[in-house]
Amino acid sequence: MNAWHRHLPEGLEQSEVELLAGETLPSVWVRQWREQPQRAVIHDPESGWVKGQELLDRSEVVAQRLGHAGVEPGDRVLLSATSSAELVVAHVAILRLGAVVMPTNGAYRAEEVEHVVSDGRPKVAIVEQPEWREWIHSADPSVAVTSPSVELETGRNIRLDRTETTDPALIAYTSGTTGRPKGAVLSHGNLLSSVRGLEIAWRWTPDDTLILALPLFHMHGLGVGLHGSLAVGAKVVLLSEFNVDEVLHSIAKFDATMFFGVPTMYSRLLESPKATELEQLRLCVSGSAPLAAELHQSIHRVTGQHVLERYGMTETAMLVSNPYEGERRPGAVGFPLPGVEVRLEGDPAEIQVKGPNVFSGYWERPDENTEAFVDGWFRTGDLGAIDPEGYLSIVGRAKELIISGGFNVYPREVEDVISQYEPIQECAVVGVPDEEWGEAVIAFVVADREISDEEIKNFVGERLAHYKRPRRTYTLKTLPRNALGKIQKNRLVGQIET
Ligand code: MCA
Ligand code: AMP
């Protein structure tokens, strides 16, 4: 399915679209800032508006400090903090140095942090949580840990901005289809081509101002919201957390034109009596999880907005989007974005993709890389259908994944933790439909006594990020298994629906 011409504005031919032009993320950003040093780029509550010149200067200082600390091109730097201009400066600095950012979810607990550190072997970790220092050092005592202001010593004059399109920019941890989190290695070219495609498809221009309340440690907030705004030369207003009143207030205050969010954010915004503030936006985008058709319609009824739903993955950045012009179809994700090819393979039909945006593989995982691709096509693990007008819909998942409020939860990871709890003999974790979160994490356990929701929440919450805690736990005598001994999760879900 090579239907991306459907995203092009009138007068632009497919053959004229150039998504890469040998550039990198920082080469594009730095050029914009040099050309318009006095132009406001990022806003955060602490710094106010930060201009291009300041981003150039501050990122250079931080890059020199990291270089002095021994970070060389290709080395990894772990980065985890609440959204702020300071975090953006650190991100830009790492990339200008030619090093690779490992964006890491700030809700991670000790075992998750230790895994990422042992696997990715960063040279420096820039983190805001004091307790992470100990966790990082227990995995690797040689990592230099510093705060988001990167108060490291400076020294020799290191040359910046020498990175190439094919060089890695990010290692983003995701569990892919199975197993422990692995690092998806995304190059500058992967990330830049994706935002170039969005720039065209969403008619993103320097006149836009985006309200960004998504965290900057996952693809949606970082790879779409931040990278896109910086590449286009548009403005971005960073909110340190998602708060309904703050988002709605910021739209008017900053004369914003765009908002990007996950479905849970839209359902919360809609509950506000001030939801009509969304009316003034040029574009509202939803992604990371399915946007229910009813929610799509309710948002339109209340605010007049036809939310544009799109589909992406950590491994591929953005893949498919509803059109800017033309029908934004509820329940569908739309057409492949510029440069992206999509095909459906097998029965049930798996969505497979190709394009300059698709990563080259997982960090140091040759076996899993062989499984992840078939004839050069990346297997998404999502199941799809294409309707007669060419709209793609995601109809299910071949992979075991729960998406709760836009965050991914891998049942296996939660099961491994629950199994460590002494009273538990065996367990299974499933996702069930949930109005607020899209899907909710539910645990089934076998034990000699009744296990309470709170017990499991606390046990898991001490070991894994808060959003991975099961909302409810059911104690059973046995788990249903098929003839091969595999737990029948669909039968478990059936038990709680009745
Ligand atoms: C918070 N809680 C959650 C979640 N978030 N539980 C399940 N799932 C969640 N996602 C818990 C809190 O621990 C708390 O538990 C209770 O819910 C209420 O917390 P609250 O303060 O209301 O939540 P919040 O801090 O406002 O967070 C809700 C949120 C957040 C803003 C929707 O989950 C969020 O930022 N989601 C976006 C995730 C994201 O960026 N995904 C993009 C991945 P208790 O009451 O017990 O203390 S990138 C991706 O998927 C691909 C590439 C793509 O296509 O984009
Ligand atoms: P992640 O591993 O965080 O990159 O999550 C990627 C997964 O999120 C995809 O494989 C899909 O299952 C899901 N996803 C992203 N966008 C959408 C969407 N608009 N509708 C349904 N699922 C989505």
Side-chain angles (χ1 to χ4, degrees):
M1 178 189 177
N2 183 0
W4 56 265
H5 59 88
R6 299 177 75 155
H7 287 293
L8 302 183
E10 223 183 294
L12 181 64
E13 296 298 321
Q14 208 157 347
S15 57
E16 294 170 300
V17 173
E18 175 57 91
L19 297 171
L20 285 174
E23 299 200 89
T24 65
L25 292 166
S27 73
V28 173
W29 304 340
V30 162
R31 189 177 58 238
Q32 311 255 20
W33 301 337
R34 288 206 174 115
E35 280 171 9
Q36 292 185 286
Q38 293 313 314
R39 194 179 155 90
V41 180
I42 294 172
H43 186 281
D44 84 5
E46 195 138 306
S47 321
W49 280 111
V50 180
K51 295 178 179 159
Q53 185 64 52
E54 193 179 337
L55 286 169
L56 277 174
D57 296 343
R58 286 174 62 183
S59 63
E60 173 148 9
V61 169
V62 172
Q64 294 294 346
R65 288 179 188 168
L66 291 170
H68 186 63
V71 178
E72 294 187 7
D75 282 343
R76 276 81 56 211
V77 177
L78 185 151
L79 188 55
S80 177
T82 311
S83 299
S84 70
E86 200 167 59
L87 174 66
V88 175
V89 166
H91 182 72
V92 175
I94 299 166
L95 296 178
R96 291 188 67 189
L97 196 54
V100 184
V101 181
M102 291 168 55
T104 307
N105 190 321
Y108 280 1
R109 308 298 298 160
E111 285 177 30
E112 294 159 302
V113 173
E114 284 167 21
H115 170 70
V116 167
V117 171
S118 335
D119 192 82
R121 302 186 307 282
K123 215 164 224 172
V124 172
I126 302 172
V127 299
E128 67 185 352
Q129 308 88 329
E131 70 270 27
W132 278 39
R133 187 175 289 268
E134 191 188 321
W135 300 345
I136 291 167
H137 282 157
S138 95
D140 182 352
S142 72
V143 181
V145 182
T146 182
S147 70
S149 55
V150 194
E151 302 290 349
L152 298 169
E153 276 178 37
T154 198
R156 62 210 161 97
N157 210 1
I158 293 157
R159 280 185 64 191
L160 306 180
D161 306 322
R162 298 168 68 195
T163 317
E164 302 200 356
T165 312
T166 49
D167 288 337
L170 291 189
I171 298 189
Y173 276 78
T174 169
S175 290
T177 44
T178 49
R180 294 208 79 180
K182 43 195 184 252
V185 184
L186 289 136
S187 69
H188 285 268
N190 297 147
L191 295 161
L192 190 58
S193 65
S194 184
V195 294
R196 286 292 184 224
L198 297 178
E199 179 178 14
I200 296 169
W202 297 349
R203 318 290 192 257
W204 206 339
T205 76
D207 293 334
D208 280 311
T209 300
L210 170 70
I211 303 296
L212 191 55
L214 289 155
L216 294 182
F217 37 69
H218 288 302
M219 188 56 78
H220 197 164
L222 183 68
V224 185
L226 181 70
H227 288 177
S229 298
L230 298 185
V232 167
K235 295 196 190 76
V236 54
V237 174
L238 296 176
L239 302 182
S240 56
E241 57 179 25
F242 174 78
N243 170 294
V244 169
D245 288 337
E246 197 61 38
V247 168
L248 295 173
H249 175 70
S250 300
I251 291 173
K253 180 173 171 194
F254 295 101
D255 203 11
T257 60
M258 305 204 289
F259 176 76
F260 299 167
V262 299
T264 304
M265 292 180 174
Y266 283 102
S267 79
R268 287 193 187 176
L269 286 167
L270 206 56
E271 281 165 16
S272 164
K274 295 192 215 126
T276 47
E277 294 285 347
L278 291 173
E279 270 172 20
Q280 78 161 71
L281 296 172
R282 175 179 80 72
L283 179 63
C284 287
V285 177
S286 175
S288 308
L291 180 70
E294 304 77 61
L295 180 56
H296 192 287
Q297 280 142 1
S298 306
I299 299 167
H300 180 243
R301 224 177 13 255
V302 175
T303 70
Q305 286 287 346
H306 284 290
V307 172
L308 184 151
E309 185 174 8
R310 58 69 183 165
Y311 160 52
M313 281 185 81
T314 301
E315 291 91 334
T316 63
M318 295 304 105
L319 289 167
V320 175
S321 169
N322 269 281
Y324 186 76
E325 285 153 23
E327 188 197 355
R328 300 177 191 171
R329 192 164 289 184
V333 287
F335 313 120
L337 280 157
V340 180
E341 284 178 76
V342 171
R343 73 174 190 185
L344 297 181
E345 274 293 301
D347 185 16
E350 182 186 30
I351 303 171
Q352 300 185 353
V353 296
K354 245 186 194 176
N357 54 309
V358 177
F359 80 144
S360 52
Y362 299 104
W363 170 250
E364 298 180 342
R365 294 284 204 290
D367 294 347
E368 295 175 38
N369 289 337
T370 310
E371 279 171 34
F373 291 89
V374 45
D375 304 330
W377 293 82
F378 174 65
R379 308 180 54 182
T380 63
D382 292 310
L383 304 177
I386 295 173
D387 74 12
E389 277 102 39
Y391 284 81
L392 176 75
S393 296
I394 300 170
V395 297
R397 291 184 208 125
K399 56 192 172 192
E400 271 212 62
L401 166 67
I402 302 167
I403 305 183
S404 169
F407 280 131
N408 289 4
V409 182
Y410 296 90
R412 175 73 190 283
E413 196 182 11
V414 185
E415 288 162 359
D416 285 349
V417 167
I418 297 177
S419 309
Q420 295 165 24
Y421 189 41
E422 213 268 327
I424 307 291
Q425 287 146 25
E426 52 177 352
C427 72
V429 167
V430 300
V432 297
D434 183 273
E435 205 162 306
E436 180 177 12
W437 302 105
E439 287 175 284
V441 180
I442 305 291
F444 293 88
V445 299
V446 174
D448 291 333
R449 63 173 174 84
E450 189 75 16
I451 304 292
S452 73
D453 292 350
E454 282 314 302
E455 262 179 284
I456 293 294
K457 261 192 193 159
N458 292 339
F459 189 82
V460 173
E462 281 165 19
R463 291 160 181 82
L464 295 177
H466 60 81
Y467 57 86
K468 300 178 185 174
R469 293 172 302 176
R471 294 212 158 242
R472 292 192 300 282
T473 295
Y474 296 89
T475 312
L476 304 175
K477 293 209 165 53
T478 53
L479 296 178
R481 289 180 186 274
N482 66 14
L484 300 170
K486 192 171 171 345
I487 297 171
Q488 293 169 301
K489 291 196 171 179
N490 50 350
R491 284 186 57 197
L492 286 171
V493 176
Q495 289 189 21
I496 50 172
E497 280 166 356
T498 52

